[in-house]
Amino acid sequence: MAATNAAGKGPAKKNQKITKKFIINASQPANDKIFDVSAFEKFLHDRIKVDGRTGNLGDTIVISQAGDGKIEVIAHQEFSGRYLKYLTKKYLKKQQLRDWLRVVSTSKGVYELRFFNVVNDEAEDDDE
């Protein structure tokens, strides 16, 4: 009889290698020179926790810059995209950019920093 997983459905997984790839696209604010991608990369290196401890990345999580304003995070263990979004928002707050930028998930594993849509109120003021 074949081994089954804890739920009793399907074959048991024996230490399968998990590889998750996340991309944070900050090219738009980086081109406007209000966002420092290398400082953000260092922030992620310092703040990402592995097994409940910061500064414990080792070979399990690799953070690198991928082209113009993009940061690539490759995790070889269970890793949450929401955690990456949380850390990005934390960095924006620290840099006082949270009023202008937001983090949007464009597709699975891809996050983008976008400017808030500021509506021009000048047209409404002319009517008064």
Side-chain angles (χ1 to χ4, degrees):
M1 190 161 152
T4 58
N5 64 12
K9 299 175 186 154
K13 295 181 181 176
K14 293 181 181 169
N15 293 336
Q16 279 188 331
K17 194 76 168 167
I18 302 170
T19 301
K20 289 188 172 185
K21 182 176 173 184
F22 298 96
I23 294 175
I24 301 173
N25 184 358
S27 54
Q28 188 181 6
N31 290 342
D32 291 346
K33 302 203 179 3
I34 66 163
F35 189 81
D36 188 3
V37 179
S38 56
F40 179 56
E41 182 185 10
K42 183 183 182 324
F43 177 83
L44 289 177
H45 270 288
D46 296 342
R47 295 294 177 100
I48 287 181
K49 288 186 177 182
V50 178
D51 298 329
R53 299 176 65 206
T54 58
N56 193 19
L57 296 182
D59 294 334
T60 55
I61 295 178
V62 180
I63 304 168
S64 61
Q65 286 191 35
D68 54 323
K70 291 184 181 175
I71 290 184
E72 192 176 67
V73 178
I74 299 171
H76 298 292
Q77 71 173 35
E78 196 58 44
F79 192 77
S80 169
R82 298 286 292 173
Y83 181 55
L84 214 51
K85 185 174 181 177
Y86 161 76
L87 286 173
T88 305
K89 290 164 99 174
K90 194 174 177 93
Y91 178 78
L92 290 175
K93 183 72 174 172
K94 184 180 171 188
Q95 300 296 318
Q96 297 171 344
L97 295 172
R98 195 79 174 84
D99 295 335
W100 293 281
L101 293 173
R102 63 189 185 135
V103 186
V104 179
S105 176
T106 53
S107 64
K108 188 172 172 66
V110 179
Y111 294 93
E112 187 175 330
L113 293 180
R114 290 188 181 165
F115 288 100
F116 282 110
N117 291 333
V118 179
V119 179
N120 216 348
D121 292 334
E122 292 174 13
E124 295 171 14
D125 292 342
D126 293 339
D127 295 339
E128 293 176 9

